[in-house]
Amino acid sequence: MIVLVGFLFLRSGMDWLGTWQLWVFVVAVGVLFWFMPRGDRMSAGADWVDAGRHGSVRTYDLVSIDIRGTVGSHQLILRDRDGGTIDHDLNDFRENPFLWDLVFNGIRHSLAGGAEITPEAHRVLQIGEVGIGPP
């Protein structure tokens, strides 16, 4: 948009400001961007997480934790014992520290209860020894 404005200033000075067709175009583009989807909404509670169209799970009832992808674009895959699944970008979880804290605590609790975790997920999530209670 800035490039277009710069081009118009160089080409015709201030004359382009009086062109009504251009203003209709600018307003139409603005309205289009206003109504475009802005990404997934995620929410979490004490023992659940919902990643919109990517699924939902009960974080304290997980049976498997997996990570797929490459550095910078890991997909976190969680499955709970009721069949719920999430397959979503790990960075989206980590962007919100409060949400990530709820999810990570649920993962650690599930691991202590016997959930399976892949070696890659263990490495990427930086999970240490998991046990219940103080050492």
Side-chain angles (χ1 to χ4, degrees):
M1 192 64 150
I2 294 173
V3 173
L4 176 64
V5 170
F7 173 76
L8 291 171
F9 267 120
L10 290 175
R11 187 165 178 248
S12 61
M14 300 290 281
D15 293 339
W16 66 274
L17 291 171
T19 307
W20 67 269
Q21 295 92 339
L22 181 63
W23 289 107
V24 169
F25 173 75
V26 169
V27 169
V29 169
V31 168
L32 177 68
F33 277 107
W34 179 262
F35 288 107
M36 283 180 60
R38 291 182 176 88
D40 295 323
R41 295 181 188 254
M42 296 173 47
S43 57
D47 64 347
W48 58 270
V49 63
D50 184 358
R53 62 186 171 93
H54 297 281
S56 64
V57 292
R58 299 186 59 81
T59 53
Y60 281 71
D61 291 328
L62 298 175
V63 293
S64 71
I65 299 109
D66 192 7
I67 293 278
R68 294 200 186 118
T70 60
V71 175
S73 66
H74 291 109
Q75 290 291 115
L76 178 63
I77 302 159
L78 304 174
R79 289 182 183 84
D80 68 16
R81 81 179 65 156
D82 295 330
T85 303
I86 282 184
D87 184 348
H88 195 62
D89 188 357
L90 177 62
N91 291 330
D92 288 347
F93 286 105
R94 288 182 168 170
E95 283 178 1
N96 183 332
F98 297 114
L99 181 124
W100 178 240
D101 189 42
L102 291 169
V103 172
F104 191 73
N105 285 339
I107 289 171
R108 292 202 35 113
H109 178 85
S110 293
L111 287 172
E116 295 179 10
I117 185 168
T118 62
E120 180 69 5
H122 194 276
R123 184 188 65 76
V124 171
L125 296 176
Q126 300 175 349
I127 295 175
E129 291 298 318
V130 177
I132 298 177

